[in-house]
Structure formats: structure tokens, C-alpha cells
Amino acid sequence: MTDALSRTHAIALDAADPLRALRGEFLFPRHQNSDQIYFVGNSLGLQPRAARQHVLEVLDTWAAQAVEGHFTGQAQWMTYHELLTAPLARVVGAQPSEVVAMNSLTANLHLMMVSFYRPTRARPAILIEAGAFPSDRHAVESQIRFHGFDPATDLIEVEADEPNGTLSMQAIERAIGEHGPRLALVLWPGVQYRTGQAFDVAEIARLAHAQGAVAGFDLAHAAGNLPLRLHDSGADFAVWCHYKYMNAGPGAVAGCFVHERHARTDRPRFAGWWGHDKQTRFRMAPEFAPTPGAEGWQLSNPPILALAPLRASLDLFDKAGGMAALRAKSEKLTGLLEALIKARVGDVLEIVTPADPRQRGAQLSLRVAGGRERGRELFEYLASVGTLGDWREPDIIRISPAPLYNRFMDVYRFVEEVETWRGV
Ligand SMILES: *Cc1c(COP(=O)(O)O)cnc(C)c1O
């Protein structure tokens, strides 16, 4: 038996990895004469090789067919977004009618709140985590003001109660219980972007519903990272982006989930012609009759050029055998990273992310001993040797081994580089 923390073992794990061939489906930035060791899939996933072909196909159709491209061929633009529906539903554990790729994350969050945040005098409040991603906080605060309520009393932020800045389920339960009768909406992340902590979506939805509140989720760091069961979770809505673990490119068209029970809702919504019932859309009548399901929230005819890379990316999730297969590798990759850090560079890096695999995805957030200056030094050293993580103020390096393209040896090399920097 080889030592589980040895180089030999990391090489053996790569050789035995059933997903190892998928790495070849991605393009890597180069560092000197080799591929970068890229751990920033939580920020911008790598480009699938097939993305270029899908984009070129759209450009070629536009050149050769112009307006006829809307109606020509299997990938005709009129129904192009529907090509994404089934594979996207598989990634997030939804029924096809519950998902749609449209707009951007923050735009979708606003559209969802227009329908699902309906404050009253008795029940005006939104509950979020303290330290939420700024865009989410801006969106929520501006919605509260838009309805004439006051964020000072009606934006409730749950403070971290654990030493590393993570949140216990008890703290979440307590906050939802305490503010329950005033809560219109609980908006929670699937995975916290700074700490990497993963939350139990179904349990948070259950707690919110028990208080009569709507349960919405931001899955920016969860989609393509963790196996999700959005339909079964009972969440009312969810939004996410496709440029992080979903690898669909900078500013990619985002995702949106609306639970089936709201498929034919008569809640208010901000409407556009692409949300209108497909059967009658081109009668161009003045009355709005929404398509049942998530597609009913679409506004405009979609940006086909921007959807094209998402097709390439979703193909790879299917090729991998789905999120369960990816998660199996991901737990091993992140587990090896954790074990190697603890064994070899525990004096330099403190792991902020929970140790329980059920409470994390791919990412480990690492606090550098000695404060910000030392942290920046290490971060810059790593970049200079072609090992890319990302930096979060004041002293956190985030490392996200992505099971679609990272190797066990990448993780091993990262720890070796930290050792080199520290001095062995
Ligand atoms: C990445 C991320 C965003 C980014 O929002 P965009 O609308 O895509 O710019 C928002 N919220 C969270 C939690 C994120 O992780």
C-alpha cells in the first residue's frame, strides 16, 4: 500500500480516475511551457474546446441564412434555448419546465423578487446572511426600498456564529423562528462564496415555509459544483450564473428555477414577449398570456451567440455522467487537498471551510497565517509559478479543484509550492 499523501498515490488516483479524459475537453491558459494549474473554476470556469464550434455555427448560420436562421435546422434560433432545458434540469435536479437559461444572475434575482417578494405591512422583511455577495444585498435592499419599506428594519442579516465565519444550522433556524411572522422572503446561498460553506437547501426551504415565507436561493457557487435536487427541495425559486462551475464563459447567460407549483401562478411579474405562450406569441396580440413554467419569466428573444458556449458546457456534464459522478471525484479531490494541507502546510494555511464534506463543495477557503501581507506574498508567489487561486480580502486564498478538469496531481503540486515558498 502506498502512503495516501504521497506523490505516487496522487499519480495513481489520476490514473484510476474514470473522468480523467474530460480534462482534454478544456482549454488551459499556459504558464511557460505547461498548462496552468487552475483552481479558479469557482470564479471563471475554463473554456470547453467545443464552445468555439458552437459559436461559429451560429455565426455561419447568420451569415448564410440571416433571418431564416430562426427556422432552419435542429439548432434553429426560435427554439435554441430549449436545447439547453433538459441538460440544465439534470444539473440542478429540476423538472425541465422548472428551468430556463436567460439574462444574468442579478437580473433574474430581481425578476424573481418581483413575483415572489410581495411585502405587506405585517410581513415586509427579507432574511439573508450577513456577508452576502454584494450584488445579492444590493438587489434585496433596493427591492425593499422599491416597495416603500425600510432596510433598517426589514432587511434581516444573520450573523456568522462559528469561529471561522461559518453559520450553524441552529443559528439559521433561530433567526427564521425569531423573525418568522415578519418574513416575506428568505434568500439563501447554496454555497457561500467566501467561506465555501454549503447549506441544506431543502431544510432552509422547509423552515421558511413553516413560517409562511417564500424560500429563494442563489446557487451561483452551487450549480455545477454540488448535486442539487431543486424540485424535491421545495424551493420556490432559484437563480445562478453559468460562468463559474458551469464553464459557459464570461458573463454567460444565467439560470433560473421556478418550482412547478408556481407554473401557472397569477402573481405579478415583469413580462416580455418571450415569456408569452409559445402557441400564440406570433399573433402579436396585446394581452400577455405566460408560458407555463420558468420560461414564462423570459423577457426577450435570447442572445443565441451567448447561449452557444452553454450548449458545449452542458454536453460535458452529461458526458461526465452527471453531478453524482462529478461529486464523487470532487469529494476525493477536495479531501486530498485538505489532508495534504493539514499534514504538510498546516502552519501556513488554516482551512476556513467546514471539514464535513456535506457542508462544502469543491472549494477550500484558506486563511494565511501572518495576516494580509504574508497572504498576498504567498498568493503572488503561487501565481508566479503558474498555480492560480483567487484572493479574498483580507487574508483568504480560495482554491477550487474542479472535477471536470483538475487532477489529483494539481492538488499535490499546490501543496508542494506552498512548501517551497515557506521553506521546507
Ligand atoms: C458570482 C455571484 C454573483 C454575480 O452576479 P452577476 O449578476 O452574475 O454579475 C452574484 N451573487 C453571488 C452569490 C455570486 O457568487
Side-chain angles (χ1 to χ4, degrees):
M1 220 187 92
T2 59
D3 172 0
L5 299 184
S6 66
R7 170 184 281 266
T8 318
H9 190 64
I11 292 169
L13 287 172
D14 281 322
D17 171 13
L19 302 182
R20 68 184 178 282
L22 286 167
R23 179 180 170 84
E25 306 275 359
F26 290 90
L27 294 163
F28 286 76
R30 302 283 287 173
H31 175 77
Q32 289 160 5
N33 286 322
S34 51
D35 292 339
Q36 259 182 13
I37 298 183
Y38 193 81
F39 291 122
V40 208
N42 57 349
S43 181
L44 183 71
L46 292 176
Q47 182 181 140
R49 279 183 192 277
R52 179 177 300 261
Q53 198 46 50
H54 283 294
V55 173
L56 285 176
E57 187 187 299
V58 178
L59 285 172
D60 288 345
T61 305
W62 179 23
Q65 319 246 7
V67 73
E68 293 301 319
H70 283 112
F71 318 105
T72 315
Q74 186 255 345
Q76 57 179 276
W77 305 332
M78 188 66 76
T79 51
Y80 197 96
H81 66 280
E82 294 173 14
L83 298 171
L84 310 171
T85 304
L88 189 52
R90 287 193 281 278
V91 169
V92 297
Q95 298 181 4
S97 65
E98 293 175 319
V99 297
V100 62
M102 61 180 188
N103 312 315
S104 62
L105 185 159
T106 307
N108 289 343
L109 181 53
H110 275 299
L111 289 177
M112 288 294 99
M113 284 197 281
V114 164
S115 293
F116 293 102
Y117 171 54
R118 304 296 306 159
T120 62
R121 210 165 271 286
R123 200 183 260 287
I126 302 181
L127 182 131
I128 63 172
E129 39 141 4
F133 196 94
S135 198
D136 301 57
R137 197 182 184 287
H138 301 329
V140 160
E141 185 181 331
S142 61
Q143 285 276 339
I144 291 171
R145 288 190 201 282
F146 174 74
H147 285 282
F149 291 95
D150 181 1
T153 49
D154 302 331
L155 176 53
I156 297 162
E157 298 177 90
V158 187
E159 295 286 343
D161 64 325
E162 295 175 339
N164 284 333
T166 52
L167 265 145
S168 69
M169 201 60 212
Q170 293 89 302
I172 300 169
E173 184 165 3
R174 215 177 307 122
I176 293 176
E178 182 188 337
H179 299 283
R182 294 190 70 248
L183 291 182
L185 170 66
V186 172
L187 179 70
W188 210 259
V191 174
Q192 216 285 343
Y193 79 100
R194 192 191 306 267
T195 63
Q197 181 179 17
F199 295 99
D200 184 340
V201 169
E203 179 61 7
I204 291 168
R206 191 187 67 75
L207 292 168
H209 290 159
Q211 296 293 338
V214 167
F217 292 87
D218 183 329
L219 303 176
H221 280 261
N225 178 13
L226 288 171
L228 296 163
R229 297 174 60 197
L230 274 184
H231 175 80
D232 293 344
S233 76
D236 293 289
F237 72 84
V239 296
W240 60 91
C241 58
H242 283 133
Y243 47 83
K244 293 172 180 164
Y245 294 98
M246 296 296 297
N247 310 311
V253 175
C256 187
F257 164 91
V258 179
H259 196 278
E260 189 192 27
R261 67 178 167 276
H262 302 300
R264 294 169 194 280
T265 184
D266 54 10
R267 285 167 178 268
R269 75 177 92 195
F270 283 174
W273 76 312
W274 223 253
H276 188 92
D277 183 17
K278 289 176 210 182
Q279 312 310 322
T280 58
R281 184 188 290 146
F282 283 91
R283 286 187 202 152
M284 306 301 236
E287 308 79 29
F288 178 73
T291 302
E295 288 192 17
W297 274 265
Q298 294 174 107
L299 297 178
S300 302
N301 76 104
I304 306 296
L305 282 166
L307 284 177
L310 184 55
R311 275 184 83 192
S313 157
L314 287 168
D315 283 347
L316 295 178
F317 280 87
D318 280 334
K319 210 165 170 179
M323 286 309 303
L326 284 166
R327 174 64 172 164
K329 176 176 172 185
S330 178
E331 284 192 17
K332 285 188 206 156
L333 265 176
T334 299
L336 181 66
L337 176 61
E338 175 187 41
L340 284 167
I341 288 171
K342 283 185 168 162
R344 292 173 57 170
V345 291
D347 58 330
V348 181
L349 296 175
E350 179 199 358
I351 302 173
V352 166
T353 308
D356 177 1
R358 288 168 305 179
Q359 286 190 65
R360 69 186 187 202
Q363 169 184 325
L364 291 186
S365 301
L366 308 170
R367 180 172 292 127
V368 184
R372 186 179 186 283
E373 288 290 284
R374 287 287 283 169
R376 286 298 306 181
E377 253 181 58
L378 171 57
F379 176 73
E380 275 154 28
Y381 169 78
L382 289 169
S384 76
V385 294
T387 300
L388 242 75
D390 76 357
W391 177 258
R392 281 292 170 271
E393 295 293 346
D395 56 0
I396 297 284
I397 295 177
R398 302 188 307 176
I399 297 292
S400 252
L404 274 170
Y405 50 75
N406 280 118
R407 297 171 298 201
F408 292 91
M409 260 315 281
D410 294 344
V411 159
Y412 189 87
R413 295 262 307 278
F414 165 77
V415 174
E416 266 191 345
E417 288 296 359
V418 177
E419 276 183 333
T420 304
W421 173 79
R422 176 196 62 193
V424 183

